[in-house]
């Protein structure tokens, strides 16, 4: 896909060799949105700013006395880390201060937040996992933020309602993540390809570093928490057994335990991430609105696939804000391999 800058087209190599900032890119690609909106441009810019603030705090966490548990629990009865709380507050503060957002659903908040006058103004609804992989904070392993943006459903001028927050994944207008890793990256899609930006800490800017990201068609990495396998569906067991048997084909098992990080690696190297339903948690662990759907939207835009136990996850109608789902995402060949395991198990059962 060509990149337009100041009215000129450039190819992928040219784009990487220029210092295109996130802000410039957002402005220059604004015309790609199915509807041109200054509000969406501003909202994306705000996310970039919040990302830099959280990144700064993540980088100095060991020094600043903000490692460890905060002493509180979130709505899922999981103990919150201090950085979970900091990241949540930062995104809330910045997103509610802009004029574009009508409401926010956060993994860390029991109920959705309405901005301004009951969410009457602002065209967009944001869903966010402010800090993903928080069990990895204390051990200096990469963590992330996952976000997605929807257009409001209720007419402007009316208060937002549940239906604004319970939209199917195909309705996303933007999905993205920030990875606080060996370098900090912001990756996002507006439904027209996936682009990645790397933060230059000296300059304090995100620069386009990974234009037009695509999943290698033929993945070689499989990522699953091995301890879940005994309690996972037969199809998952069969698929993983197949991965283990392919001696000589170079398949690798890699599991970091931060979804953003596992996903990002698989996007670049080619692979599949699996978080199955288990006998104890038939609904899975990951959250549909904050984790699965944004990454599913990115995956499809990058030429990959994303599913739950029954098929394409993006068309699933959510019934509540914090709904969980089994999640399988990655390169086409590996998701298709998993599909054939589901089909063969259906035939034998
Ligand atoms: P969060 O930190 O937002 O609660 O998400 C944690 C998620 C995800 O990042 C990761 O892939 C998964 O939990 C790991 O779960 P297990 O420890 O059960 O493997
Ligand atoms: Mn998470
Ligand atoms: Mn989280």
């Amino acid at each position: 896909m060509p990149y337009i800058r100041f009215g000129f087209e450039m190819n992928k190599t040219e784009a990487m060799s220029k210092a295109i900032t996130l802000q410039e890119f957002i402005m220059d690609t604004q015309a790609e949105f199915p509807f041109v909106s200054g509000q969406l441009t501003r909202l994306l810019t705000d996310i970039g700013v919040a990302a830099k603030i959280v990144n700064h705090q993540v980088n100095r966490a060991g020094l600043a006395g903000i490692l460890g548990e905060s002493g509180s629990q979130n709505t899922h009865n999981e103990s919150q880390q201090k950085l979970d709380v900091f990241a949540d507050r930062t995104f809330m503060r910045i997103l509610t201060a802009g004029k574009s957002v009508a409401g926010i659903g956060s993994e860390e908040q029991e109920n959705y937040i309405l901005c301004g006058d009951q969410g009457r103004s602002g065209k967009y609804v944001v869903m966010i996992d402010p800090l993903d992989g928080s069990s990895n904070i204390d051990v200096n392993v990469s963590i992330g933020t996952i976000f997605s943006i929807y257009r409001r459903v209720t007419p402007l001028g009316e208060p937002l309602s549940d239906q604004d927050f319970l939209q199917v994944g195909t309705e996303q207008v933007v999905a993205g993540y920030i990875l606080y890793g060996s370098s900090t990256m912001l990756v996002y899609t507006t439904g027209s390809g996936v682009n990645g930006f790397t933060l230059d800490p000296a300059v304090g800017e995100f620069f386009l570093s990974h234009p037009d990201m695509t999943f290698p068609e033929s993945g070689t990495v499989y990522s699953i928490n091995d301890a879940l396998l005994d309690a996972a569906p037969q199809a998952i067991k069969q698929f993983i057994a197949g991965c283990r048997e392919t001696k000589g084909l170079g398949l690798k098992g890699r599991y970091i335990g931060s979804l953003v990080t596992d996903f990002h690696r698989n996007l670049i190297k080619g692979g599949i991430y699996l978080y199955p339903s288990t006998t104890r948690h038939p609904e899975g662990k990951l959250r549909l609105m904050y984790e699965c759907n944004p990454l599913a939207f990115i995956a499809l835009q990058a030429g990959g696939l994303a599913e739950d136990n029954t098929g394409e996850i993006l068309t699933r109608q959510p019934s509540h804000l914090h709904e969980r789902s089994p999640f399988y995402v990655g390169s086409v060949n590996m998701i298709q391999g998993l599909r054939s395991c589901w089909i063969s198990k259906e035939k034998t059962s």
Side-chain angles (χ1 to χ4, degrees):
M1 186 196 317
Y3 293 85
I4 315 284
R5 193 185 185 207
F6 307 125
F8 295 104
E9 273 190 15
M10 59 178 73
N11 63 29
K12 195 165 171 170
T13 317
E14 286 167 336
M16 284 175 78
S17 66
K18 309 269 181 199
I20 301 177
T21 67
L22 174 64
Q23 182 64 34
E24 278 176 312
F25 187 87
I26 292 171
M27 300 297 289
D28 288 348
T29 53
Q30 193 171 245
E32 282 174 10
F33 303 152
F35 47 97
V36 178
S37 159
Q39 283 201 17
L40 190 57
T41 301
R42 180 166 175 182
L43 171 47
L44 277 169
T45 306
D46 284 350
I47 287 175
V49 171
K52 285 189 226 172
I53 296 171
V54 172
N55 175 65
H56 177 65
Q57 209 65 351
V58 166
N59 283 341
R60 59 195 289 273
L63 296 170
I66 53 169
L67 287 178
E69 296 182 3
S70 67
S72 56
Q73 291 195 326
N74 68 10
T75 182
H76 314 283
N77 295 326
E78 298 158 342
S79 65
Q80 287 179 306
Q81 305 286 318
K82 289 177 193 167
L83 273 174
D84 277 323
V85 176
F86 178 84
D88 188 49
R89 285 193 187 145
T90 302
F91 278 100
M92 287 289 164
R93 176 166 57 83
I94 290 183
L95 295 179
T96 52
K99 298 277 178 272
S100 340
V101 182
I104 307 169
S106 165
E107 183 196 80
E108 299 300 331
Q109 311 261 349
E110 190 167 351
N111 298 312
Y112 51 74
I113 308 294
L114 299 182
C115 305
D117 183 16
Q118 295 293 304
R120 284 187 166 80
S121 57
K123 288 186 182 165
Y124 298 100
V125 171
V126 177
M127 294 288 166
I128 191 160
D129 175 356
L131 210 65
D132 173 68
S134 41
S135 65
N136 277 325
I137 294 171
D138 283 357
V139 291
N140 212 353
V141 170
S142 302
I143 49 183
T145 296
I146 309 172
F147 61 91
S148 84
I149 303 174
Y150 296 81
R151 255 170 287 179
R152 64 183 298 148
V153 177
T154 51
L156 268 170
E158 288 180 20
L160 285 190
S161 66
D162 288 357
Q163 58 165 344
D164 292 290
F165 294 90
L166 300 178
Q167 300 189 47
V168 291
T170 47
E171 292 299 315
Q172 291 172 95
V173 289
V174 181
Y177 60 83
I178 301 133
L179 173 61
Y180 311 102
S182 48
S183 57
T184 295
M185 283 193 69
L186 191 153
V187 174
Y188 80 98
T189 178
T190 55
S192 174
V194 180
N195 291 284
F197 300 79
T198 301
L199 181 66
D200 182 336
V203 185
E205 284 280 8
F206 283 103
F207 290 100
L208 180 64
S209 54
H210 295 62
D212 207 8
M213 297 174 84
T214 48
F215 266 104
E217 253 177 59
S218 200
T220 52
V221 176
Y222 62 101
S223 315
I224 187 167
N225 178 345
D226 190 75
L228 302 174
L229 206 51
D230 280 350
Q234 278 302 326
I236 306 299
K237 290 181 189 165
Q238 186 188 325
F239 178 77
I240 297 298
C243 291
R244 287 172 177 164
E245 272 167 21
T246 51
K247 297 184 189 84
L249 285 182
L251 259 64
K252 294 183 178 115
R254 293 282 185 273
Y255 189 73
I256 293 167
S258 297
L259 172 62
V260 166
T261 315
D262 281 308
F263 177 86
H264 183 74
R265 182 207 47 243
N266 292 352
L267 171 57
I268 289 176
K269 301 212 165 182
I272 185 171
Y273 176 93
L274 310 97
Y275 206 108
S277 48
T278 60
T279 35
R280 216 173 127 213
H281 296 291
E283 71 289 5
K285 173 185 180 185
L286 298 178
R287 278 122 310 198
L288 178 65
M289 306 298 290
Y290 315 116
E291 293 171 317
C292 307
N293 273 348
L295 296 185
F297 190 54
I298 295 168
L300 263 72
Q301 282 297 317
L305 292 170
E307 309 204 325
D308 61 9
N309 283 5
T310 56
E312 202 188 326
I313 196 166
L314 282 175
T315 52
R316 170 171 159 178
Q317 176 61 55
S319 57
H320 60 275
L321 200 56
H322 296 294
E323 187 165 326
R324 295 176 190 266
S325 176
F327 190 43
Y328 315 105
V329 62
S331 296
V332 167
N333 75 317
M334 296 188 97
I335 296 286
Q336 282 174 344
L338 177 60
R339 267 185 203 162
S340 57
C341 294
W342 285 112
I343 291 163
S344 83
K345 284 297 151 201
E346 269 169 27
K347 280 189 186 145
T348 54
S349 60

